[in-house]
C-alpha cells in the first residue's frame, strides 16, 4: 500500500516484503498483574515503533490498531498506517500507560469476543474506504490478544463468543499469555510455543497460544517478529544440492537431484534502512545500493523462487571470514500453504537431514545464485556466490562470499614467533585486565538507537493530547474538535457483572475516543 519511489528512477520493484498483513493488538487488562506488565509493554511498544516507523524501503508493516479490554472494550487507536505516524502511536502508548491510573477491573468474559468483532468491523470498513486508491487492497487481518490470564481460558472465551462470527478475513488469531513472574533472563527470551491439537480450530480461523516473559526484551522480540516477511503464498528459495555439472545419469539412483524448498528470513535489520546511521545514505531499493544481496534478489523473483545451486562442499575451516560480507540471512523449511502436507513433511525431513549431516561432517556449502537475466539483454549477467553454514537449530545461515573480480590485493607480513619481551608483558597485562565473556549477546548491548530514532520523529507542533486527558477536558466543559471518529459505530458494550453500563454505544460513538492523526484527516462513518 505504501510504495516509495526512488529518486528520478520511477517506482521501486515490487517485493514480497511489502505485502504485510494489518495488525490488531487487543490488550486484555486484569488486576493485579497489569501494574507489572504495563511499564514493560509500553516501553517495548515505544521501542518497536521507533524502529518500525523509521525503516526506509518497502513497507514492512502497513496498518495497526489497538484495543483495550477492561470493564468495557475500547478502541484506543483506529487503523492507521505505521509509517509516518510515530507521534500518533506514541500518544496511543501514553494513553495505554495511563490506564493503570484509572484502575482495572476483572474483564467480563463476553468483552473480549466483542473487541475482536468490533476490530473486524472497523477493519472491513477501513478496507472498503481504502480499496479505491490502493494497488494492493488489504483483505486479511492478524489479531493478537495479549493477556495475563491463563491462555487456555481466554481461548475458550473466544471460541464461545466467536462461534457465530464470520472469521474468513482473519489471517491469524493468536493469544499471547504474559507470564506473571518477571524473569530476569535477558539473554534468552522465551520461545514461541507451537499450538497443540486441542488448542486450535475455531470455525474458519485457528487460535494459536503463545507464552511471553514479562520483560521488555522479550516483548520487543515478539513485536519485531511483525517485521518479518510472513507471506506464505510461495516458497522463497530452491536449494539445489546436486551440481549442475553432473550428467543426468549420475543424478539417478544413489545421487538423485535434491531440491529443498526454503523460506528466507533476515537475521537483523540493515543499518542502511535507518536514518542517521553510518550507512544512512544507502537504500534497499536504490540501484546504487547493494542489490546483489540474497534477500533482495529473492524478493525480485516474483514469478518463481530464487535458486541456489550448490557447487561444492568445504571444510568449516576452509574459508577466511574476511571473504564473507553483507548481511547474513536465514534459510528454513518453507511453510507455503500451496504445498500438500506430505510434501511439506518430506521437505522438512530432508532439510533436517542436511543440517545434521553438515554438522556431523563439519562441512560448509558453497552455492551460486541463479542469474537474473533481463528481458532486454540476452547476455549472461554476473553471478553471486554464497557460503551456507549449518546450525544447531533447523536453519541454515547464508552469507555472500567474495569472488575473484571483487578481490583487492593484500600483502601483509607474517607474525614473528617471538615478539619483544617488554611489549609482550605490557599487552598481556592489559588483556588480563579485560572482562572475559564466553559469548557476545546483542540482546544485552544497547546503542541508544531507540532514543535517537524517537527524537528524530519529534515534531514542534504543540502537544498531542491523549484521549484519557481529553476525557478530563470534557468533564470540565471544554470542547474537543481535533479528533478522529470511528470508521463504524462501535458494538454495544457488555455490562460487567453487578455494574450498569456507563454509556451507550451511541454516546460513545459521538463522544469520540480516538486520537487525532498527524494529517488532521477524518475517516467517514
Amino acid at each position: 500500500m505504501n510504495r516509495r519511489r526512488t529518486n528520478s528512477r520511477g517506482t521501486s520493484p515490487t517485493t514480497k516484503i511489502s505485502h504485510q498483513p494489518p495488525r490488531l493488538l487487543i490488550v486484555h487488562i486484569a488486576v493485579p498483574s497489569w501494574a507489572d506488565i504495563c511499564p514493560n509493554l509500553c516501553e517495548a511498544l515505544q521501542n518497536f515503533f521507533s524502529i518500525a516507523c523509521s525503516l526506509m524501503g518497502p513497507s514492512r508493516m502497513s496498518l495497526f490498531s489497538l484495543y483495550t479490554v477492561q470493564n468495557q472494550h475500547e478502541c484506543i487507536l483506529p487503523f492507521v498506517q505505521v509509517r509516518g505516524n510515530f507521534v500518533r502511536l506514541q500518544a496511543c502508548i501514553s494513553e495505554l500507560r495511563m490506564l493503570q491510573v484509572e484502575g482495572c477491573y476483572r474483564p467480563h468474559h463476553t468483552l473480549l469476543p466483542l473487541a475482536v468483532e468490533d476490530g473486524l468491523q472497523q477493519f472491513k470498513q477501513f478496507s472498503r474506504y481504502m480499496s479505491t486508491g490502493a494497488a494492493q487492497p488489504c483483505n486479511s487481518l492478524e489479531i493478537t490478544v495479549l493477556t495475563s490470564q491463563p491462555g487456555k481460558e481466554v481461548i475458550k472465551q473466544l471460541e464461545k463468543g466467536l462461534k457465530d462470527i464470520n472469521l474468513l478475513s482473519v489471517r491469524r488469531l493468536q493469544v499471547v499469555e504474559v507470564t506473571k513472574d518477571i524473569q530476569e533472563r535477558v539473554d534468552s527470551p522465551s520461545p514461541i510455543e507451537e499450538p497443540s491439537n486441542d488448542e486450535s480450530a475455531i470455525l474458519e480461523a485457528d487460535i494459536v497460544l503463545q507464552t511471553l516473559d514479562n520483560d521488555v526484551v522479550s516483548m520487543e522480540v515478539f513485536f519485531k517478529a511483525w517485521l518479518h516477511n510472513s507471506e506464505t503464498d510461495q516458497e522463497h528459495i530452491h536449494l539445489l544440492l546436486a551440481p549442475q555439472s553432473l550428467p543426468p545419469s549420475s543424478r539417478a539412483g544413489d545421487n538423485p537431484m535434491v531440491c529443498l524448498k526454503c523460506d528466507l528470513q533476515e537475521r537483523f535489520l540493515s543499518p542502511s534502512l535507518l536514518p542517521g546511521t553510518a550507512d544512512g545514505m544507502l537504500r534497499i531499493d536504490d540501484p546504487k545500493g547493494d542489490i546483489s544481496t540474497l534477500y533482495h534478489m529473492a524478493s525480485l523473483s516474483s514469478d518463481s523462487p530464487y535458486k541456489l545451486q550448490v557447487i561444492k562442499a568445504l571444510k568449516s575451516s576452509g574459508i577466511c571470514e574476511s571473504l564473507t560480507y553483507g548481511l547474513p540471512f536465514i534459510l528454513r523449511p518453507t511453510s507455503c500453504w500451496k504445498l500438500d502436507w506430505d510434501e511439506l513433511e518430506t521437505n522438512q525431513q530432508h532439510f533436517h537431514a542436511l543440517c545434521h549431516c553438515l554438522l556431523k561432517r563439519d562441512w560448509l556449502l558453497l552455492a551460486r545464485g541463479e542469474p537474473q537475466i533481463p528481458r532486454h539483454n540476452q547476455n549472461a549477467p554476473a553471478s553471486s556466490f554464497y557460503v551456507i553454514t549449518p546450525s544447531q537449530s533447523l536453519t541454515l545461515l547464508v552469507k555472500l562470499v567474495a569472488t575473484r573480480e571483487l578481490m583487492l590485493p593484500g600483502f601483509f607480513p607474517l607474525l614473528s614467533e617471538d615478539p619483544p619481551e617488554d611489549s609482550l608483558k605490557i599487552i598481556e597485562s592489559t588483556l588480563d585486565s579485560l572482562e572475559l565473556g564466553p559469548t557476545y549477546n546483542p540482546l544485552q548491548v544497547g546503542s541508544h538507537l531507540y532514543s535517537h530514532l524517537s527524537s528524530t520523529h519529534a515534531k514542534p507542533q504543540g502537544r498531542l493530547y491523549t484521549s484519557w486527558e481529553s476525557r478530563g477536558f470534557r468533564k470540565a466543559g471544554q470542547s474537543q474538535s481535533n479528533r478522529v471518529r470511528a470508521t463504524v459505530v462501535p458494538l454495544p458494550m457488555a455490562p460487567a457483572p453487578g455494574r450498569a453500563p456507563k454509556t451507550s454505544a451511541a454516546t460513545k460513538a459521538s463522544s469520540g475516543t480516538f486520537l487525532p492523526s498527524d494529517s488532521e484527516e477524518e475517516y467517514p462513518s
Side-chain angles (χ1 to χ4, degrees), residues 283-467:
R283 304 289 178 90
I284 193 172
D285 55 348
D286 190 345
K288 294 183 178 180
D290 187 12
I291 62 172
S292 63
T293 60
L294 178 65
Y295 193 81
H296 194 57
M297 296 295 284
S299 299
L300 291 176
S301 304
S302 56
D303 297 332
S304 62
Y306 186 66
K307 291 181 174 58
L308 283 180
Q309 177 69 58
V310 175
I311 56 177
K312 68 168 60 176
L314 299 170
K315 296 294 291 183
S316 61
S317 59
I319 185 169
C320 178
E321 287 293 333
S322 64
L323 299 183
T324 61
Y325 65 98
L327 299 178
F329 297 97
I330 296 295
L331 284 182
R332 60 185 183 182
T334 186
S335 57
C336 175
W337 63 270
K338 293 182 180 179
L339 303 179
D340 58 53
W341 287 108
D342 291 337
E343 186 176 2
L344 282 173
E345 184 177 4
T346 301
N347 185 74
Q348 179 163 341
Q349 291 173 352
H350 287 354
F351 194 99
H352 184 191
L354 175 63
C355 294
H356 175 79
C357 291
L358 291 178
L359 287 172
K360 184 178 180 180
R361 300 186 181 196
D362 198 22
W363 278 11
L364 306 176
L365 295 179
L366 182 64
R368 179 179 60 241
E370 180 186 64
Q372 302 294 311
I373 303 177
R375 295 180 180 178
H376 62 277
N377 187 3
Q378 297 303 319
N379 295 328
S383 299
S384 298
F385 289 83
Y386 305 88
V387 62
I388 301 175
T389 307
S391 169
Q392 295 291 343
S393 61
L394 195 63
T395 58
L396 296 170
L397 185 68
V398 187
K399 208 170 184 184
L400 274 167
V401 65
T403 58
R404 183 185 68 188
E405 294 88 345
L406 299 178
M407 287 294 297
L408 295 175
F411 304 102
F412 309 105
L414 296 177
L415 284 174
S416 60
E417 293 185 2
D418 299 318
E421 188 67 24
D422 293 343
S423 297
L424 185 62
K425 290 182 179 179
I426 293 174
I427 297 302
E428 283 184 342
S429 175
T430 303
L431 293 179
D432 289 339
S433 65
L434 297 178
E435 178 184 356
L436 180 62
T439 58
Y440 169 74
N441 187 349
L443 296 180
Q444 294 178 327
V445 180
S447 63
H448 305 290
L449 180 61
Y450 294 135
S451 58
H452 166 73
L453 294 176
S454 298
S455 63
T456 61
H457 290 289
K459 296 183 179 179
Q461 59 181 16
R463 186 181 178 190
L464 186 61
Y465 292 102
T466 65
S467 61

Side-chain angles (χ1 to χ4, degrees), residues 465 469-481 483 511:
Y465 292 102
E469 295 170 307
S470 302
R471 286 195 288 270
F473 288 158
R474 287 197 297 274
K475 290 178 182 179
Q478 300 184 23
S479 61
Q480 189 76 7
S481 58
R483 307 198 63 76
S511 62

Side-chain angles (χ1 to χ4, degrees), residues 54 70 88 101 133 138 153-154 169 196 248 273 324 372 408 412 457 473 519:
S54 304
Q70 286 180 276
R88 189 173 178 192
V101 180
C138 300
E153 293 182 9
V154 174
S169 59
S196 61
L273 298 177
T324 61
Q372 302 294 311
L408 295 175
F412 309 105
H457 290 289
F473 288 158
S519 58

Side-chain angles (χ1 to χ4, degrees), residues 94-215:
S94 298
E95 179 165 358
L96 188 62
R97 187 177 282 109
M98 293 287 188
L99 291 178
Q100 62 179 336
V101 180
E102 294 184 296
C104 303
Y105 306 90
R106 183 172 296 278
H108 193 253
H109 63 86
T110 60
L111 289 175
L112 195 53
L114 273 176
V116 173
E117 185 181 357
D118 189 75
L120 271 174
Q121 195 174 357
Q122 297 276 355
F123 169 69
K124 292 176 181 177
Q125 179 69 18
F126 185 88
S127 299
R128 285 193 294 267
Y129 171 68
M130 297 294 293
S131 61
T132 55
Q136 293 290 337
C138 300
N139 51 19
S140 63
L141 175 68
E142 289 207 5
I143 303 176
T144 300
V145 177
L146 193 142
T147 180
S148 60
Q149 300 297 302
K152 292 185 179 180
E153 293 182 9
V154 174
I155 287 180
K156 291 179 181 178
Q157 295 178 22
L158 292 172
E159 288 178 340
K160 183 178 180 181
L162 298 175
K163 61 182 179 179
D164 298 323
I165 305 301
N166 183 1
L167 300 176
L168 286 175
S169 59
V170 179
R171 177 173 178 173
R172 191 183 190 212
L173 177 57
Q174 58 181 344
V175 173
V176 179
E177 178 186 345
V178 181
T179 55
K180 295 181 175 60
D181 296 332
I182 301 178
Q183 302 188 18
E184 313 224 347
R185 293 180 291 103
V186 186
D187 54 339
S188 55
S190 62
I192 295 177
E193 294 183 358
E194 294 295 332
S196 61
N197 293 332
D198 60 342
E199 291 174 353
S200 59
I202 63 161
L203 300 181
E204 300 92 346
D206 291 337
I207 299 182
V208 180
L209 177 61
Q210 302 179 8
T211 58
L212 194 64
D213 292 342
N214 183 21
D215 64 77

Side-chain angles (χ1 to χ4, degrees), residues 484-486 488-491 493 503-514 525:
V484 170
R485 300 194 307 271
V488 294
V489 177
L491 297 173
M493 304 299 170
T503 58
S504 64
T507 305
K508 178 178 174 61
S510 61
S511 62
T513 57
F514 302 128
S525 299

